[in-house]
Amino acid sequence: MRPVHCIYLALFLGSGLTAASAKDTILEPEGKPYSFKEDLRGSGKKDDAAAYDVSGIACIPRASGKRRCLVVNDEGRKAQFLTIDDRSIEPKKSIDLIGKAPDPATRGTVFAGKQCPDKSPAKFKEFDGEGVAYAKPYFYVVGSHGCGRRKDTLNTSAMILARIRVDDEGKPDVEDDERPEAAVETTYRLGEVLAGADRVGASFLESLSEANGLNIEGIAVVKDRLYAGLRAPTIEGDAFLVEADVDALFADGHGPYQGKRARSRSRSARMPGSATSPPSTTGA
């Protein structure tokens, strides 16, 4: 078993925290290391290669005491299940979130009102996963929804929000266990929500390195609302969440987002000791 000393799973595992209560909670790193029984898979171009860039995890507490979790890599097209039993992490099967080409069944359409600074044709490559959430009966996985960091290119496969329907044990809820991807649904509509969000919408599809461009770093789902946590932009010391209606994001068909008005919520991101401003909520 390979010890993990630099990654600590103080990640709301079974804590029951919601977006409303998390603002008053400061998480401390776990003091004891976890160990993997084998490497996680699915990083980069070789989906069977070891993963060293896990960017999101969410878990389901179970009666057995073991947690059933889903993790996503920063690159690749897959997510992977695992179980956590005390300090032991056991990787399980991977599941495709997207294929090598766009899926006609993906809800909504790619946002067409703007392009990344590099005007070259859009590509469909890796999912660029940045966050995972669980709200019964789904695991949700979100792409970065930002332009490429190195070349300011548009990767439409990073503009996808996916969810996986699972049973009470956290396994894909499908009739055929050999086809777990039947439990996966995808949508492009979150891009439309981000583009229309007050204060931060103008940063959507802007350069990450040159223009404080928008990109997602994590998500939470509480009841019927999805909250996308933004790594950027920060504006006047504020960081932002953008919320949206889950049912509207995943509504059938390719029509536009028809949910309640998206709202961006800001919170001071200044370092301790600096001037601060009160949190605010703005409509879009």
Side-chain angles (χ1 to χ4, degrees):
M1 297 170 68
R2 180 167 58 85
V4 178
H5 296 283
C6 59
I7 301 176
Y8 298 96
L9 299 180
L11 296 170
F12 300 101
L13 301 184
S15 65
L17 290 174
T18 67
S21 63
K23 67 180 182 181
D24 298 320
T25 302
I26 299 175
L27 297 180
E28 297 292 337
E30 290 280 354
K32 297 180 181 179
Y34 287 76
S35 59
F36 283 89
K37 291 189 174 182
E38 60 183 74
D39 286 328
L40 293 170
R41 301 183 299 276
S43 177
K45 296 180 180 179
K46 297 181 179 180
D47 286 337
D48 59 348
Y52 296 98
D53 51 2
V54 171
S55 54
I57 180 172
C59 297
I60 306 173
R62 298 186 296 180
S64 65
K66 294 182 180 180
R67 294 183 175 95
R68 172 80 171 183
C69 308
L70 185 74
V71 296
V72 67
N73 299 304
D74 190 38
E75 298 180 354
R77 297 184 294 270
K78 299 176 183 285
Q80 186 172 1
F81 293 99
L82 58 81
T83 58
I84 301 177
D85 185 8
D86 192 23
R87 301 286 165 174
S88 177
I89 301 174
E90 183 176 1
K92 299 293 185 178
K93 292 182 178 179
S94 296
I95 184 168
D96 289 319
L97 300 173
I98 59 173
K100 295 182 179 180
D103 183 354
T106 298
R107 282 74 182 267
T109 57
V110 176
F111 181 72
K114 193 175 183 180
Q115 287 183 289
C116 289
D118 184 325
K119 305 300 183 183
S120 59
K123 297 180 179 179
F124 193 93
K125 298 172 63 179
E126 71 276 354
F127 186 82
D128 196 18
E130 292 293 349
V132 185
Y134 173 75
K136 190 175 182 179
Y138 295 100
F139 278 111
Y140 293 81
V141 190
V142 69
S144 65
H145 285 73
C147 299
R149 185 170 297 277
R150 294 181 181 178
K151 297 182 179 180
D152 286 333
T153 53
L154 177 60
N155 177 14
T156 57
S157 51
M159 304 291 159
I160 289 175
L161 169 69
R163 68 180 183 182
I164 305 167
R165 187 179 183 92
V166 295
D167 60 22
D168 290 342
E169 291 297 305
K171 297 180 180 180
D173 189 4
V174 293
E175 295 182 359
D176 184 353
D177 290 340
E178 298 301 316
R179 297 184 62 252
E181 285 76 20
V184 178
E185 303 172 51
T186 53
T187 179
Y188 288 118
R189 292 193 181 103
L190 184 56
E192 181 184 346
V193 171
L194 295 170
D198 186 51
R199 294 191 71 187
V200 299
S203 297
F204 184 59
L205 297 187
E206 292 291 336
S207 171
L208 302 186
S209 59
E210 301 295 333
N212 202 21
L214 185 152
N215 69 331
I216 292 175
E217 190 68 15
I219 55 169
V221 178
V222 182
K223 296 182 179 178
D224 63 346
R225 305 299 283 173
L226 180 141
Y227 299 85
L230 305 186
R231 178 177 181 175
T234 55
I235 301 173
E236 297 179 350
D238 286 345
F240 295 88
L241 296 173
V242 175
E243 67 172 294
D245 185 317
V246 172
D247 289 340
L249 290 170
F250 285 94
D252 289 341
H254 300 292
Y257 175 79
Q258 297 288 343
K260 298 176 182 178
R261 287 195 312 160
R263 295 190 296 172
S264 61
R265 298 171 178 260
S266 64
R267 185 75 175 176
S268 174
R270 293 180 175 88
M271 296 297 291
S274 65
T276 60
S277 58
S280 62
T281 301
T282 54

